[in-house]
PDB file of all heavy atoms in Angstrom:
ATOM      1  N   TYR A 132     -24.644  17.876 -21.090  1.00 95.00           N
ATOM      2  CA  TYR A 132     -24.679  18.577 -19.825  1.00 95.00           C
ATOM      3  C   TYR A 132     -24.027  20.028 -19.964  1.00 95.00           C
ATOM      4  O   TYR A 132     -24.534  20.938 -19.415  1.00 95.00           O
ATOM      5  CB  TYR A 132     -24.000  17.767 -18.775  1.00 95.00           C
ATOM      6  CG  TYR A 132     -23.860  18.486 -17.475  1.00 95.00           C
ATOM      7  CD1 TYR A 132     -24.891  18.542 -16.532  1.00 95.00           C
ATOM      8  CD2 TYR A 132     -22.593  19.020 -17.076  1.00 95.00           C
ATOM      9  CE1 TYR A 132     -24.737  19.130 -15.276  1.00 95.00           C
ATOM     10  CE2 TYR A 132     -22.386  19.633 -15.849  1.00 95.00           C
ATOM     11  CZ  TYR A 132     -23.550  19.692 -14.940  1.00 95.00           C
ATOM     12  OH  TYR A 132     -23.271  20.355 -13.757  1.00 95.00           O
ATOM     13  N   LEU A 133     -22.963  20.051 -20.788  1.00 96.00           N
ATOM     14  CA  LEU A 133     -22.251  21.382 -20.849  1.00 96.00           C
ATOM     15  C   LEU A 133     -22.975  22.437 -21.622  1.00 96.00           C
ATOM     16  O   LEU A 133     -22.728  23.590 -21.455  1.00 96.00           O
ATOM     17  CB  LEU A 133     -20.894  21.065 -21.549  1.00 96.00           C
ATOM     18  CG  LEU A 133     -19.849  20.401 -20.770  1.00 96.00           C
ATOM     19  CD1 LEU A 133     -18.539  20.156 -21.657  1.00 96.00           C
ATOM     20  CD2 LEU A 133     -19.421  21.285 -19.576  1.00 96.00           C
ATOM     21  N   GLU A 134     -24.019  21.988 -22.392  1.00 95.00           N
ATOM     22  CA  GLU A 134     -24.755  22.956 -23.194  1.00 95.00           C
ATOM     23  C   GLU A 134     -25.419  24.002 -22.323  1.00 95.00           C
ATOM     24  O   GLU A 134     -25.618  25.132 -22.757  1.00 95.00           O
ATOM     25  CB  GLU A 134     -25.705  22.313 -24.124  1.00 95.00           C
ATOM     26  CG  GLU A 134     -24.912  21.654 -25.222  1.00 95.00           C
ATOM     27  CD  GLU A 134     -25.659  21.087 -26.375  1.00 95.00           C
ATOM     28  OE1 GLU A 134     -26.876  21.181 -26.413  1.00 95.00           O
ATOM     29  OE2 GLU A 134     -25.055  20.492 -27.196  1.00 95.00           O
ATOM     30  N   THR A 135     -25.891  23.633 -21.116  1.00 94.00           N
ATOM     31  CA  THR A 135     -26.627  24.604 -20.295  1.00 94.00           C
ATOM     32  C   THR A 135     -25.830  24.885 -19.023  1.00 94.00           C
ATOM     33  O   THR A 135     -26.313  25.726 -18.260  1.00 94.00           O
ATOM     34  CB  THR A 135     -27.934  24.007 -19.874  1.00 94.00           C
ATOM     35  OG1 THR A 135     -27.692  22.682 -19.405  1.00 94.00           O
ATOM     36  CG2 THR A 135     -28.944  23.881 -21.080  1.00 94.00           C
ATOM     37  N   ALA A 136     -24.737  24.319 -18.826  1.00 94.00           N
ATOM     38  CA  ALA A 136     -23.962  24.553 -17.569  1.00 94.00           C
ATOM     39  C   ALA A 136     -23.405  26.010 -17.506  1.00 94.00           C
ATOM     40  O   ALA A 136     -23.106  26.613 -18.528  1.00 94.00           O
ATOM     41  CB  ALA A 136     -22.871  23.493 -17.381  1.00 94.00           C
ATOM     42  N   GLU A 137     -23.230  26.473 -16.280  1.00 94.00           N
ATOM     43  CA  GLU A 137     -22.629  27.831 -16.164  1.00 94.00           C
ATOM     44  C   GLU A 137     -21.130  27.812 -16.278  1.00 94.00           C
ATOM     45  O   GLU A 137     -20.469  26.843 -15.916  1.00 94.00           O
ATOM     46  CB  GLU A 137     -22.892  28.280 -14.696  1.00 94.00           C
ATOM     47  CG  GLU A 137     -23.975  29.404 -14.686  1.00 94.00           C
ATOM     48  CD  GLU A 137     -24.160  29.836 -13.236  1.00 94.00           C
ATOM     49  OE1 GLU A 137     -23.286  30.356 -12.610  1.00 94.00           O
ATOM     50  OE2 GLU A 137     -25.315  29.570 -12.696  1.00 94.00           O
ATOM     51  N   MET A 138     -20.526  28.806 -16.912  1.00 96.00           N
ATOM     52  CA  MET A 138     -19.072  28.907 -17.155  1.00 96.00           C
ATOM     53  C   MET A 138     -18.555  29.886 -16.131  1.00 96.00           C
ATOM     54  O   MET A 138     -19.299  30.895 -15.855  1.00 96.00           O
ATOM     55  CB  MET A 138     -18.741  29.325 -18.523  1.00 96.00           C
ATOM     56  CG  MET A 138     -19.205  28.365 -19.647  1.00 96.00           C
ATOM     57  SD  MET A 138     -18.425  26.683 -19.464  1.00 96.00           S
ATOM     58  CE  MET A 138     -19.835  25.601 -19.551  1.00 96.00           C
ATOM     59  N   ILE A 140     -16.176  26.497 -15.705  1.00 97.00           N
ATOM     60  CA  ILE A 140     -16.488  25.104 -15.182  1.00 97.00           C
ATOM     61  C   ILE A 140     -15.257  24.325 -15.169  1.00 97.00           C
ATOM     62  O   ILE A 140     -14.166  24.606 -15.913  1.00 97.00           O
ATOM     63  CB  ILE A 140     -17.640  24.510 -15.987  1.00 97.00           C
ATOM     64  CG1 ILE A 140     -18.371  23.431 -15.125  1.00 97.00           C
ATOM     65  CG2 ILE A 140     -17.145  23.852 -17.241  1.00 97.00           C
ATOM     66  CD1 ILE A 140     -19.778  23.197 -15.556  1.00 97.00           C
ATOM     67  N   ARG A 159     -17.545  27.657 -22.958  1.00 96.00           N
ATOM     68  CA  ARG A 159     -18.205  26.445 -23.276  1.00 96.00           C
ATOM     69  C   ARG A 159     -17.408  25.560 -24.268  1.00 96.00           C
ATOM     70  O   ARG A 159     -17.289  24.331 -24.080  1.00 96.00           O
ATOM     71  CB  ARG A 159     -19.553  26.701 -23.886  1.00 96.00           C
ATOM     72  CG  ARG A 159     -20.641  25.686 -23.564  1.00 96.00           C
ATOM     73  CD  ARG A 159     -22.092  26.237 -23.976  1.00 96.00           C
ATOM     74  NE  ARG A 159     -22.477  27.444 -23.176  1.00 96.00           N
ATOM     75  CZ  ARG A 159     -22.866  27.393 -21.968  1.00 96.00           C
ATOM     76  NH1 ARG A 159     -23.013  26.208 -21.295  1.00 96.00           N
ATOM     77  NH2 ARG A 159     -23.244  28.474 -21.337  1.00 96.00           N
TER      78      ARG A 159
END
Side-chain angles (χ1 to χ4, degrees):
Y132 173 80
L133 285 177
E134 286 187 5
T135 51
E137 251 181 66
M138 298 297 131
I140 204 157
R159 216 168 295 283

